[in-house]
Amino acid sequence: MISYEEALSRILSAVHRLPSETIPIAQAAGRFLAQDVRAAIDAPRADVSAMDGYAVRIADAAGEGTLTMIGEAAAGAPFAGHLNAGEAVRIFTGAHLPMGADCVVMQEYAERDGDKVRFRQGFGPARHIRTKASDFSAGDVLLEKGQRLDPRAMVSLAGADMATVEVARRPRIALIATGDELADPGHAAQSAHAIPESGSFGVAALAESRGAVISARMTGRDELDSLARFARDALESADCVVVIGGASVGDHDLARPMFAGTGLEEHFAKVAIKPGKPVWFGMAGEKPVLGLPGNPSSAMVTARLFLAPLIAALQGGRAGAETQFMPHLLAADLPPNGSRETFVRARATQEGLLPASNQESGAQAPLAASDWLIRRAVGADAAAAGSVVQALAF
């Protein structure tokens, strides 16, 4: 068996970014940038008002005299003239600062009578002006290659005046769930020996949340010939194949044998983690094949640990972005850890991360409430409530 870090490293070393495509920014949310995004314009494009108020010369505003209002400036409708001594322009947030003005006095300090305005003292010292290019300048790199276009990045993308953007193509993922006992949800009650096939639905949802497209979902009995057909079909239709189940050592475990004749080169067969020991990985030509355990909770934990970063790598995502463990307080005691690195399912509470009471690999009920994975090193001592642990958003 190899360690989690070694297994992840082998996956990421084998996977290469898919080709890029240019799409409208309205379709770009969640995609990964295939090139840097540079601003096409300055922001702001001129000195603009940061407040509703009056554009004036600071020397006039500081005096006790009355100023004459000579016009108005609004966002998209600037004042066309020049502001001189003793004059003021009514201005609104986002409007270009009139030539000659060097200050905006907030309207709360203004006393106006017709076209005359005077200001109460105490309005300064802030001048309430956003200077030209104070946010960014044309040509600045706003977003870097490999960055995922989350909601915050989408603001910068549009603000850069980009109508289209070059992104990596979405990976096509084929899922194969194996096991004689599996039945489609809604049909398991028809047989006393059947269980609903649930793992592929969770893995598919995780893959789609990372930008992948599910090109096929197949459920097969433990028959080598039919599974081999599934494997060939999956490799033809997808950029990556994920097999759920069939990866132990019994006579009915056919996950890897089903790929015989496809040129599959195995990179590892087991990982020293709990849950997830049967995880395996290989390459069929340029296409990655990832094997996950059949128990649904184990499948979801290992999909988060290995499939999520694999999908990001297929899209050129930043290294490590999907596997950032963060410090958190522990809300309940944890026992000493054993001989395998362990990932404990837990949920966030006001007191910290609360481990699920049932950590069995087949336990599905606690899975829905678990939103973090606590990482426990090999041989780690017991951890008391209130101590700091490393955790990954699940």
Side-chain angles (χ1 to χ4, degrees):
M1 289 189 290
I2 62 174
S3 70
Y4 163 63
E5 293 290 352
E6 176 63 21
L8 182 60
S9 176
R10 292 188 189 185
I11 289 174
L12 299 182
S13 296
V15 172
H16 302 288
R17 182 175 66 84
L18 294 171
S20 60
E21 60 185 3
T22 300
I23 61 173
I25 67 163
Q27 301 172 14
R31 304 293 291 273
F32 287 78
L33 289 171
Q35 62 179 15
D36 293 345
V37 171
R38 294 182 178 273
I41 58 174
D42 297 333
R45 302 187 70 185
D47 292 349
V48 298
S49 176
M51 293 287 179
D52 290 346
Y54 295 85
V56 296
R57 301 191 328 161
I58 187 65
D60 291 339
E64 298 181 359
T66 299
L67 305 182
T68 301
M69 200 172 70
I70 59 171
E72 182 177 288
F79 176 71
H82 189 283
L83 185 140
N84 298 305
E87 296 177 339
V89 170
R90 181 74 166 108
I91 195 167
F92 299 93
T93 303
H96 286 199
L97 193 70
M99 290 184 293
D102 59 6
C103 176
V104 172
V105 179
M106 289 191 296
Q107 61 188 19
E108 290 85 348
Y109 291 93
E111 297 174 354
R112 181 175 169 184
D113 183 10
D115 65 351
K116 302 297 182 182
V117 63
R118 61 184 302 161
F119 305 109
R120 298 191 304 276
Q121 293 304 306
F123 62 83
R127 299 196 181 191
H128 305 299
I129 297 170
R130 294 177 59 220
T131 58
K132 178 181 178 180
S134 58
D135 190 355
F136 54 81
S137 300
D140 285 354
V141 175
L142 301 188
L143 303 169
E144 295 181 348
K145 178 180 179 180
Q147 185 171 348
R148 192 179 186 198
L149 290 169
D150 61 21
R152 297 173 300 280
M154 288 297 296
V155 172
S156 292
L157 179 63
D161 201 30
M162 296 287 107
T164 61
V165 62
E166 187 175 348
V167 296
R169 179 170 62 76
R170 290 185 186 274
R172 299 185 301 266
I173 307 293
L175 301 175
I176 304 174
T178 71
D180 288 340
E181 74 281 14
L182 300 179
D184 291 335
H187 297 275
Q190 298 172 10
S191 170
H193 306 290
I195 60 173
E197 193 287 293
S198 59
S200 72
F201 290 90
V203 173
L206 181 145
E208 290 174 331
S209 74
R210 264 64 184 183
V213 175
I214 303 304
S215 63
R217 183 191 285 124
M218 315 172 196
T219 303
R221 297 179 61 82
D222 294 323
E223 298 172 351
L224 185 56
D225 288 345
S226 62
L227 290 177
R229 287 195 297 272
F230 281 180
R232 291 192 297 270
D233 291 345
L235 287 171
E236 288 180 4
S237 69
D239 301 302
C240 171
V241 180
V242 179
V243 181
I244 303 171
S248 295
V249 294
D251 293 339
H252 296 281
D253 295 319
L254 304 173
R256 291 189 290 281
M258 78 169 79
F259 288 92
T262 67
L264 179 71
E265 178 184 352
E266 190 172 285
H267 287 224
F268 61 80
K270 291 181 181 179
V271 184
I273 59 174
K274 182 180 181 181
K277 176 181 173 183
V279 170
W280 60 276
F281 173 76
M283 295 291 293
E286 294 295 316
K287 297 186 177 183
V289 180
L290 178 65
L292 305 178
N295 282 321
S297 291
S298 292
M300 288 305 298
V301 170
T302 50
R304 177 63 187 89
L305 294 175
F306 298 109
L307 181 59
L310 188 161
I311 290 172
L314 286 170
Q315 298 173 91
R318 294 174 173 175
E322 280 288 349
T323 51
Q324 292 183 344
F325 287 82
M326 303 172 61
H328 284 268
L329 292 178
L330 189 60
D333 297 345
L334 279 175
N337 197 35
S339 59
R340 282 185 283 162
E341 188 171 14
T342 301
F343 296 90
V344 178
R345 280 154 278 151
R347 63 182 176 89
T349 70
Q350 289 185 340
E351 293 75 29
L353 299 184
L354 180 65
S357 58
N358 187 349
Q359 294 288 328
E360 292 292 328
S361 59
Q364 299 175 77
L367 189 64
S370 298
D371 47 14
W372 290 89
L373 294 176
I374 299 173
R375 188 176 189 177
R376 301 277 285 149
V378 174
D381 294 334
S387 59
V388 176
V389 293
Q390 296 295 314
L392 178 70
F394 190 9

Short mmCIF file of all heavy atoms in Angstrom, two decimals, residues 12-63:
data_model
loop_
_atom_site.label_atom_id
_atom_site.label_comp_id
_atom_site.label_asym_id
_atom_site.label_seq_id
_atom_site.Cartn_x
_atom_site.Cartn_y
_atom_site.Cartn_z
N LEU A 12 -2.04 13.02 -10.08
CA LEU A 12 -1.86 14.34 -10.67
C LEU A 12 -0.70 14.38 -11.65
O LEU A 12 -0.71 15.17 -12.60
CB LEU A 12 -1.66 15.38 -9.56
CG LEU A 12 -2.84 15.53 -8.58
CD1 LEU A 12 -2.55 16.62 -7.57
CD2 LEU A 12 -4.14 15.81 -9.32
N SER A 13 0.30 13.52 -11.46
CA SER A 13 1.42 13.47 -12.39
C SER A 13 1.01 12.83 -13.71
O SER A 13 1.61 13.14 -14.76
CB SER A 13 2.58 12.67 -11.78
OG SER A 13 3.08 13.30 -10.62
N ALA A 14 0.01 11.97 -13.68
CA ALA A 14 -0.39 11.24 -14.88
C ALA A 14 -1.42 12.00 -15.72
O ALA A 14 -1.55 11.76 -16.92
CB ALA A 14 -0.96 9.87 -14.50
N VAL A 15 -2.14 12.93 -15.08
CA VAL A 15 -3.27 13.59 -15.74
C VAL A 15 -2.82 14.89 -16.40
O VAL A 15 -2.02 15.64 -15.84
CB VAL A 15 -4.39 13.86 -14.72
CG1 VAL A 15 -5.48 14.73 -15.33
CG2 VAL A 15 -4.97 12.55 -14.22
N HIS A 16 -3.33 15.15 -17.58
CA HIS A 16 -3.00 16.38 -18.32
C HIS A 16 -4.28 17.15 -18.64
O HIS A 16 -5.36 16.56 -18.81
CB HIS A 16 -2.26 16.05 -19.61
CG HIS A 16 -0.99 15.28 -19.40
ND1 HIS A 16 0.14 15.85 -18.85
CD2 HIS A 16 -0.69 13.97 -19.61
CE1 HIS A 16 1.10 14.95 -18.76
NE2 HIS A 16 0.62 13.79 -19.21
N ARG A 17 -4.13 18.46 -18.76
CA ARG A 17 -5.29 19.32 -19.03
C ARG A 17 -5.89 19.02 -20.38
O ARG A 17 -5.18 18.80 -21.37
CB ARG A 17 -4.88 20.80 -18.96
CG ARG A 17 -6.06 21.76 -19.19
CD ARG A 17 -5.65 23.21 -19.00
NE ARG A 17 -4.71 23.67 -19.99
CZ ARG A 17 -5.07 24.12 -21.20
NH1 ARG A 17 -6.35 24.13 -21.56
NH2 ARG A 17 -4.16 24.54 -22.05
N LEU A 18 -7.21 19.02 -20.43
CA LEU A 18 -7.94 18.82 -21.68
C LEU A 18 -7.81 20.07 -22.55
O LEU A 18 -7.45 21.15 -22.07
CB LEU A 18 -9.41 18.54 -21.39
CG LEU A 18 -9.71 17.24 -20.65
CD1 LEU A 18 -11.16 17.19 -20.22
CD2 LEU A 18 -9.36 16.03 -21.52
N PRO A 19 -8.12 19.96 -23.84
CA PRO A 19 -8.05 21.14 -24.72
C PRO A 19 -8.98 22.25 -24.24
O PRO A 19 -9.95 22.01 -23.51
CB PRO A 19 -8.51 20.58 -26.08
CG PRO A 19 -8.24 19.12 -26.01
CD PRO A 19 -8.46 18.73 -24.58
N SER A 20 -8.68 23.47 -24.67
CA SER A 20 -9.47 24.63 -24.26
C SER A 20 -10.52 24.97 -25.30
O SER A 20 -10.49 24.50 -26.44
CB SER A 20 -8.56 25.83 -24.01
OG SER A 20 -7.86 26.17 -25.19
N GLU A 21 -11.45 25.82 -24.90
CA GLU A 21 -12.48 26.33 -25.79
C GLU A 21 -12.83 27.74 -25.36
O GLU A 21 -12.64 28.12 -24.21
CB GLU A 21 -13.72 25.43 -25.78
CG GLU A 21 -14.37 25.28 -24.41
CD GLU A 21 -15.52 24.29 -24.42
OE1 GLU A 21 -15.78 23.68 -25.47
OE2 GLU A 21 -16.17 24.13 -23.37
N THR A 22 -13.33 28.53 -26.30
CA THR A 22 -13.73 29.91 -26.00
C THR A 22 -15.25 29.96 -25.89
O THR A 22 -15.96 29.50 -26.79
CB THR A 22 -13.24 30.86 -27.09
OG1 THR A 22 -11.81 30.79 -27.17
CG2 THR A 22 -13.64 32.29 -26.79
N ILE A 23 -15.74 30.52 -24.78
CA ILE A 23 -17.17 30.55 -24.52
C ILE A 23 -17.59 31.95 -24.07
O ILE A 23 -16.77 32.73 -23.59
CB ILE A 23 -17.57 29.53 -23.45
CG1 ILE A 23 -16.87 29.84 -22.11
CG2 ILE A 23 -17.25 28.10 -23.90
CD1 ILE A 23 -17.34 28.99 -20.96
N PRO A 24 -18.88 32.29 -24.21
CA PRO A 24 -19.37 33.57 -23.67
C PRO A 24 -19.27 33.57 -22.15
O PRO A 24 -19.40 32.52 -21.50
CB PRO A 24 -20.84 33.61 -24.13
CG PRO A 24 -20.96 32.58 -25.19
CD PRO A 24 -19.93 31.53 -24.91
N ILE A 25 -19.04 34.74 -21.56
CA ILE A 25 -18.88 34.77 -20.11
C ILE A 25 -20.17 34.36 -19.39
O ILE A 25 -20.11 33.89 -18.25
CB ILE A 25 -18.40 36.14 -19.59
CG1 ILE A 25 -19.45 37.23 -19.78
CG2 ILE A 25 -17.10 36.52 -20.24
CD1 ILE A 25 -19.15 38.46 -18.94
N ALA A 26 -21.31 34.47 -20.02
CA ALA A 26 -22.56 34.04 -19.40
C ALA A 26 -22.57 32.54 -19.13
O ALA A 26 -23.36 32.05 -18.32
CB ALA A 26 -23.76 34.43 -20.27
N GLN A 27 -21.70 31.80 -19.80
CA GLN A 27 -21.61 30.35 -19.61
C GLN A 27 -20.36 29.94 -18.84
O GLN A 27 -20.05 28.75 -18.73
CB GLN A 27 -21.62 29.66 -20.98
CG GLN A 27 -22.84 29.95 -21.83
CD GLN A 27 -22.69 29.41 -23.25
OE1 GLN A 27 -21.81 28.59 -23.54
NE2 GLN A 27 -23.55 29.86 -24.14
N ALA A 28 -19.63 30.89 -18.29
CA ALA A 28 -18.29 30.61 -17.77
C ALA A 28 -18.24 30.28 -16.29
O ALA A 28 -17.21 29.80 -15.81
CB ALA A 28 -17.38 31.81 -18.04
N ALA A 29 -19.31 30.49 -15.55
CA ALA A 29 -19.26 30.24 -14.11
C ALA A 29 -18.88 28.79 -13.82
O ALA A 29 -19.43 27.85 -14.40
CB ALA A 29 -20.62 30.57 -13.48
N GLY A 30 -17.93 28.62 -12.92
CA GLY A 30 -17.49 27.30 -12.53
C GLY A 30 -16.42 26.69 -13.41
O GLY A 30 -15.85 25.65 -13.06
N ARG A 31 -16.09 27.34 -14.52
CA ARG A 31 -15.07 26.79 -15.43
C ARG A 31 -13.67 27.21 -14.98
O ARG A 31 -13.49 28.10 -14.17
CB ARG A 31 -15.35 27.27 -16.85
CG ARG A 31 -16.76 26.94 -17.36
CD ARG A 31 -16.98 25.45 -17.54
NE ARG A 31 -16.20 24.91 -18.64
CZ ARG A 31 -16.62 24.89 -19.91
NH1 ARG A 31 -17.81 25.38 -20.23
NH2 ARG A 31 -15.87 24.36 -20.86
N PHE A 32 -12.65 26.55 -15.55
CA PHE A 32 -11.27 26.82 -15.22
C PHE A 32 -10.59 27.57 -16.36
O PHE A 32 -10.69 27.16 -17.52
CB PHE A 32 -10.51 25.51 -14.95
CG PHE A 32 -10.87 24.85 -13.65
CD1 PHE A 32 -12.04 24.14 -13.51
CD2 PHE A 32 -10.02 24.96 -12.56
CE1 PHE A 32 -12.37 23.52 -12.31
CE2 PHE A 32 -10.33 24.34 -11.35
CZ PHE A 32 -11.51 23.62 -11.23
N LEU A 33 -9.90 28.65 -16.03
CA LEU A 33 -9.27 29.49 -17.04
C LEU A 33 -8.12 28.76 -17.72
O LEU A 33 -7.26 28.15 -17.07
CB LEU A 33 -8.75 30.77 -16.42
CG LEU A 33 -9.82 31.78 -15.97
CD1 LEU A 33 -9.18 32.91 -15.18
CD2 LEU A 33 -10.56 32.33 -17.18
N ALA A 34 -8.10 28.85 -19.05
CA ALA A 34 -7.02 28.25 -19.83
C ALA A 34 -5.92 29.27 -20.12
O ALA A 34 -4.88 28.91 -20.68
CB ALA A 34 -7.57 27.68 -21.14
N GLN A 35 -6.15 30.51 -19.78
CA GLN A 35 -5.12 31.55 -19.95
C GLN A 35 -5.42 32.68 -18.96
O GLN A 35 -6.53 32.78 -18.42
CB GLN A 35 -5.11 32.10 -21.37
CG GLN A 35 -6.39 32.79 -21.79
CD GLN A 35 -6.31 33.33 -23.21
OE1 GLN A 35 -5.44 32.97 -23.98
NE2 GLN A 35 -7.24 34.20 -23.56
N ASP A 36 -4.41 33.52 -18.71
CA ASP A 36 -4.61 34.67 -17.84
C ASP A 36 -5.66 35.61 -18.44
O ASP A 36 -5.79 35.72 -19.66
CB ASP A 36 -3.30 35.46 -17.66
CG ASP A 36 -2.24 34.69 -16.90
OD1 ASP A 36 -2.59 33.68 -16.26
OD2 ASP A 36 -1.07 35.11 -16.94
N VAL A 37 -6.37 36.28 -17.57
CA VAL A 37 -7.32 37.31 -18.00
C VAL A 37 -6.72 38.68 -17.69
O VAL A 37 -6.42 38.99 -16.53
CB VAL A 37 -8.68 37.16 -17.29
CG1 VAL A 37 -9.58 38.37 -17.58
CG2 VAL A 37 -9.36 35.87 -17.72
N ARG A 38 -6.53 39.49 -18.73
CA ARG A 38 -6.01 40.84 -18.58
C ARG A 38 -7.12 41.86 -18.81
O ARG A 38 -7.96 41.68 -19.69
CB ARG A 38 -4.86 41.10 -19.57
CG ARG A 38 -3.62 40.25 -19.29
CD ARG A 38 -2.50 40.56 -20.27
NE ARG A 38 -1.31 39.78 -19.98
CZ ARG A 38 -0.36 40.14 -19.13
NH1 ARG A 38 -0.47 41.31 -18.50
NH2 ARG A 38 0.68 39.38 -18.90
N ALA A 39 -7.09 42.90 -18.03
CA ALA A 39 -8.12 43.94 -18.15
C ALA A 39 -8.01 44.66 -19.49
O ALA A 39 -6.91 45.01 -19.92
CB ALA A 39 -7.99 44.94 -17.02
N ALA A 40 -9.14 44.87 -20.14
CA ALA A 40 -9.16 45.60 -21.40
C ALA A 40 -9.29 47.10 -21.19
O ALA A 40 -9.02 47.88 -22.10
CB ALA A 40 -10.32 45.10 -22.27
N ILE A 41 -9.69 47.50 -19.99
CA ILE A 41 -9.90 48.92 -19.69
C ILE A 41 -9.40 49.21 -18.28
O ILE A 41 -9.13 48.30 -17.50
CB ILE A 41 -11.39 49.31 -19.79
CG1 ILE A 41 -12.23 48.47 -18.82
CG2 ILE A 41 -11.90 49.17 -21.22
CD1 ILE A 41 -13.68 48.86 -18.74
N ASP A 42 -9.28 50.50 -17.96
CA ASP A 42 -8.99 50.92 -16.59
C ASP A 42 -10.27 50.82 -15.77
O ASP A 42 -11.38 50.93 -16.29
CB ASP A 42 -8.53 52.38 -16.53
CG ASP A 42 -7.22 52.62 -17.26
OD1 ASP A 42 -6.42 51.67 -17.38
OD2 ASP A 42 -7.01 53.77 -17.71
N ALA A 43 -10.11 50.67 -14.46
CA ALA A 43 -11.26 50.76 -13.56
C ALA A 43 -10.83 51.50 -12.29
O ALA A 43 -9.90 51.08 -11.63
CB ALA A 43 -11.77 49.37 -13.21
N PRO A 44 -11.49 52.63 -11.98
CA PRO A 44 -12.45 53.30 -12.85
C PRO A 44 -11.77 53.89 -14.07
O PRO A 44 -10.57 54.07 -14.09
CB PRO A 44 -13.03 54.41 -11.96
CG PRO A 44 -12.41 54.26 -10.63
CD PRO A 44 -11.30 53.31 -10.71
N ARG A 45 -12.59 54.23 -15.06
CA ARG A 45 -12.04 54.76 -16.31
C ARG A 45 -11.69 56.24 -16.21
O ARG A 45 -11.05 56.80 -17.11
CB ARG A 45 -13.03 54.53 -17.44
CG ARG A 45 -13.37 53.04 -17.60
CD ARG A 45 -14.20 52.78 -18.80
NE ARG A 45 -13.42 52.97 -20.02
CZ ARG A 45 -13.94 52.91 -21.25
NH1 ARG A 45 -15.24 52.70 -21.41
NH2 ARG A 45 -13.17 53.08 -22.30
N ALA A 46 -12.13 56.89 -15.14
CA ALA A 46 -11.80 58.29 -14.86
C ALA A 46 -11.95 58.49 -13.36
O ALA A 46 -12.39 57.58 -12.65
CB ALA A 46 -12.74 59.23 -15.63
N ASP A 47 -11.56 59.67 -12.85
CA ASP A 47 -11.85 59.98 -11.46
C ASP A 47 -13.36 60.07 -11.30
O ASP A 47 -14.04 60.79 -12.06
CB ASP A 47 -11.23 61.32 -11.07
CG ASP A 47 -9.70 61.29 -11.05
OD1 ASP A 47 -9.15 60.18 -11.14
OD2 ASP A 47 -9.09 62.36 -10.95
N VAL A 48 -13.92 59.33 -10.33
CA VAL A 48 -15.37 59.31 -10.16
C VAL A 48 -15.72 59.56 -8.70
O VAL A 48 -14.90 59.36 -7.79
CB VAL A 48 -15.99 57.97 -10.62
CG1 VAL A 48 -15.73 57.73 -12.10
CG2 VAL A 48 -15.45 56.81 -9.79
N SER A 49 -16.95 59.98 -8.51
CA SER A 49 -17.44 60.25 -7.16
C SER A 49 -17.76 58.94 -6.44
O SER A 49 -18.35 58.03 -7.01
CB SER A 49 -18.69 61.13 -7.20
OG SER A 49 -19.20 61.31 -5.90
N ALA A 50 -17.37 58.87 -5.17
CA ALA A 50 -17.69 57.70 -4.35
C ALA A 50 -18.95 57.94 -3.52
O ALA A 50 -19.37 57.04 -2.78
CB ALA A 50 -16.52 57.38 -3.42
N MET A 51 -19.57 59.11 -3.64
CA MET A 51 -20.74 59.45 -2.83
C MET A 51 -21.70 60.30 -3.63
O MET A 51 -21.33 60.91 -4.65
CB MET A 51 -20.32 60.25 -1.58
CG MET A 51 -19.50 59.49 -0.58
SD MET A 51 -20.51 58.29 0.33
CE MET A 51 -19.25 57.55 1.39
N ASP A 52 -22.95 60.36 -3.17
CA ASP A 52 -23.87 61.38 -3.65
C ASP A 52 -23.56 62.68 -2.91
O ASP A 52 -23.39 62.67 -1.68
CB ASP A 52 -25.33 60.98 -3.36
CG ASP A 52 -25.80 59.82 -4.20
OD1 ASP A 52 -25.11 59.48 -5.18
OD2 ASP A 52 -26.84 59.22 -3.86
N GLY A 53 -23.44 63.77 -3.65
CA GLY A 53 -23.12 65.04 -2.99
C GLY A 53 -22.88 66.15 -3.99
O GLY A 53 -23.59 66.28 -4.98
N TYR A 54 -21.80 66.91 -3.74
CA TYR A 54 -21.49 68.08 -4.56
C TYR A 54 -20.00 68.07 -4.88
O TYR A 54 -19.16 67.94 -3.98
CB TYR A 54 -21.89 69.37 -3.85
CG TYR A 54 -23.37 69.47 -3.64
CD1 TYR A 54 -23.97 68.87 -2.53
CD2 TYR A 54 -24.18 70.12 -4.57
CE1 TYR A 54 -25.34 68.93 -2.34
CE2 TYR A 54 -25.55 70.19 -4.39
CZ TYR A 54 -26.12 69.60 -3.28
OH TYR A 54 -27.49 69.65 -3.12
N ALA A 55 -19.69 68.18 -6.17
CA ALA A 55 -18.30 68.31 -6.61
C ALA A 55 -17.89 69.76 -6.50
O ALA A 55 -18.57 70.66 -7.04
CB ALA A 55 -18.15 67.81 -8.04
N VAL A 56 -16.78 70.01 -5.82
CA VAL A 56 -16.33 71.38 -5.57
C VAL A 56 -14.81 71.42 -5.55
O VAL A 56 -14.15 70.39 -5.67
CB VAL A 56 -16.85 71.89 -4.20
CG1 VAL A 56 -18.37 71.96 -4.18
CG2 VAL A 56 -16.35 70.98 -3.06
N ARG A 57 -14.26 72.63 -5.38
CA ARG A 57 -12.84 72.78 -5.07
C ARG A 57 -12.73 72.78 -3.55
O ARG A 57 -13.51 73.45 -2.86
CB ARG A 57 -12.30 74.08 -5.65
CG ARG A 57 -12.44 74.17 -7.16
CD ARG A 57 -11.67 75.33 -7.77
NE ARG A 57 -11.58 76.49 -6.88
CZ ARG A 57 -10.68 77.45 -7.03
NH1 ARG A 57 -9.81 77.41 -8.01
NH2 ARG A 57 -10.66 78.48 -6.20
N ILE A 58 -11.77 72.03 -3.01
CA ILE A 58 -11.67 71.89 -1.56
C ILE A 58 -11.49 73.24 -0.88
O ILE A 58 -12.03 73.46 0.22
CB ILE A 58 -10.51 70.93 -1.20
CG1 ILE A 58 -10.51 70.64 0.30
CG2 ILE A 58 -9.17 71.47 -1.66
CD1 ILE A 58 -11.71 69.89 0.80
N ALA A 59 -10.82 74.16 -1.54
CA ALA A 59 -10.62 75.48 -0.93
C ALA A 59 -11.96 76.21 -0.76
O ALA A 59 -12.17 76.91 0.23
CB ALA A 59 -9.67 76.31 -1.79
N ASP A 60 -12.88 76.04 -1.74
CA ASP A 60 -14.20 76.68 -1.63
C ASP A 60 -15.05 76.01 -0.56
O ASP A 60 -15.75 76.67 0.20
CB ASP A 60 -14.91 76.60 -2.97
CG ASP A 60 -14.27 77.48 -4.04
OD1 ASP A 60 -13.54 78.42 -3.66
OD2 ASP A 60 -14.50 77.22 -5.23
N ALA A 61 -14.99 74.67 -0.53
CA ALA A 61 -15.81 73.95 0.44
C ALA A 61 -15.41 74.28 1.87
O ALA A 61 -16.25 74.29 2.78
CB ALA A 61 -15.69 72.44 0.19
N ALA A 62 -14.12 74.52 2.08
CA ALA A 62 -13.64 74.80 3.43
C ALA A 62 -14.01 76.20 3.91
O ALA A 62 -13.94 76.50 5.10
CB ALA A 62 -12.12 74.61 3.49
N GLY A 63 -14.37 77.08 3.00
CA GLY A 63 -14.74 78.44 3.38
C GLY A 63 -16.16 78.50 3.90
O GLY A 63 -16.88 77.52 3.97
#
